[in-house]
Amino acid sequence: MISDPELDGAGETRPAQPAERTQEPPPPGRQAGGAGARRPWLWALGGAALASVLWAGGLYAFGERLAAPEISYRATQNLCLDFEARALSRIAGGLHRYRPLNRQDDHPAVRRAICQLQNGESISTLTVHVRVDLHRKTDPGPEFDALSIPLFAEMDPGRAEEVRGLGERALLLVGPGGGSVELKVLHGGAVFTVTATGTGSAPDTPADTSALRAAMVEDARALMTALKE
């Protein structure tokens, strides 16, 4: 425990000065401009220099943590063209025949591309949402698990599984009743998200969730290959 030198009789390094001595004039040779008076300034300058070094080192380390993540994928100009959805189309009918919706948002922090596909015009039994986020400023890895919580109101935690061999990390999450399946893939600063939602019981609605999951993984892998730089 560090004790106050004025309260601890042993090991005192700076004895307390009597109050009446503080008013005495400085002895000869110890004027304000003398060498003895400059010593506290030297200590202060040394402390300031040390603080500057420590501050610069801390700033450098902090900057290292905030370094932009590596992105090995190009920015897509039309995600609906790059996402061919061949595997999903095999089990749910052609997904590109009914006016695909495409959008890009070019933000300094995140470049985002979105595509929506469906297998019907006015009535669709399967809707697929695809999103690619290229994070330019911060690494999305530490928050990947939190970002992977789907928008399903009552998510069944028992229906989440990890997909090996896809990106750095990939998660499949199945909503209540198997009506919605979400696949999220993390690779460096890129996050790929594919969400498939069934809305009916017609013959072209994928009834086998395992087949739907396999098709989503296959199409996500193909998209990553198409955007790979």
Side-chain angles (χ1 to χ4, degrees):
M1 177 175 179
I2 300 176
S3 59
D4 191 332
E6 296 186 19
L7 299 179
D8 189 353
E12 291 184 351
T13 58
R14 296 183 59 187
Q17 298 293 331
E20 61 272 11
R21 295 182 59 185
T22 59
Q23 304 297 325
E24 294 182 2
R30 300 286 298 265
Q31 299 298 325
R38 288 198 298 269
R39 289 178 183 174
W41 285 102
L42 294 177
W43 279 104
L45 291 175
L50 178 60
S52 298
V53 171
L54 294 176
W55 177 83
L59 181 62
Y60 176 79
F62 186 69
E64 285 294 313
R65 293 198 298 270
L66 293 180
E70 181 180 355
I71 300 176
S72 55
Y73 297 92
R74 65 175 174 85
T76 175
Q77 300 301 319
N78 190 318
L79 183 56
C80 289
L81 291 179
D82 290 318
F83 184 72
E84 298 182 351
R86 292 184 178 180
L88 286 168
S89 294
R90 285 197 301 266
I91 64 176
L95 289 170
H96 284 84
R97 296 186 301 171
Y98 304 100
R99 294 181 299 180
L101 301 178
N102 186 77
R103 177 182 174 183
Q104 287 83 33
D105 292 324
D106 192 4
H107 189 274
V110 180
R111 172 154 187 145
R112 173 169 298 166
I114 300 174
C115 171
Q116 177 178 314
L117 304 172
Q118 58 189 35
N119 64 348
E121 182 67 32
S122 58
I123 299 178
S124 175
T125 59
L126 182 69
T127 301
V128 178
H129 294 268
V130 186
R131 193 176 79 199
V132 177
D133 295 323
L134 302 181
H135 294 257
R136 296 167 166 171
K137 299 295 185 181
T138 57
D139 181 8
E143 298 180 357
F144 181 73
D145 288 338
L147 294 176
S148 297
I149 299 176
L151 299 179
F152 311 139
E154 297 179 357
M155 171 64 183
D156 182 0
R159 302 300 300 277
E161 61 184 66
E162 187 170 357
V163 181
R164 299 186 180 275
L166 185 61
E168 295 177 12
R169 189 173 183 192
L171 295 174
L172 263 171
L173 306 112
V174 182
S180 297
V181 181
E182 182 178 83
L183 170 66
K184 295 187 74 72
V185 184
L186 170 70
H187 193 182
V191 178
F192 299 83
T193 306
V194 181
T195 305
T197 304
T199 57
S201 58
D204 55 353
T205 300
D208 186 355
T209 304
S210 61
L212 180 63
R213 297 199 305 265
M216 294 172 64
V217 171
E218 181 180 341
D219 286 339
R221 193 188 306 275
L223 174 62
M224 296 172 67
T225 301
L227 298 182
K228 188 75 173 178
E229 289 187 327

